[in-house]
Amino acid sequence: MKELDLHGLSHDRAKDIIVSWIHKNPPPCKIITGNSGAMERLVRETLEEKYRCDYESYHNLGALIVTRR
């Protein structure tokens, strides 16, 4: 499964990277947000129209698994 790690990126830059990356790497895939609730919301809001984002596990809330709706 392909992974995108957003650690260290600004929220402004992350949105463009997410859109570009998801276009090149169709789901299922993993997006690592780290412990940033704001980054998690950004990923969910950016992808919500076409994709579903779920936590990788309840033990790892810093990674989202992205699948098609």
Side-chain angles (χ1 to χ4, degrees), residues 9-68:
L9 293 178
S10 69
H11 293 171
D12 292 334
R13 191 158 175 248
K15 185 171 183 175
D16 293 334
I17 290 171
I18 293 164
V19 170
S20 175
W21 188 84
I22 202 83
H23 181 70
K24 295 174 188 172
N25 299 283
C29 57
K30 182 192 305 188
I31 298 180
I32 301 167
T33 61
N35 291 326
S36 171
M39 188 66 82
E40 178 192 333
R41 281 189 299 280
L42 176 72
V43 171
R44 290 180 184 275
E45 289 170 2
T46 301
L47 299 178
E48 71 184 344
E49 192 171 305
K50 294 182 181 179
Y51 304 101
R52 178 181 167 154
C53 300
D54 295 305
Y55 291 118
E56 180 178 36
S57 74
Y58 290 105
H59 299 288
N60 183 6
L61 303 180
L64 298 169
I65 301 299
V66 181
T67 55
R68 292 192 184 276

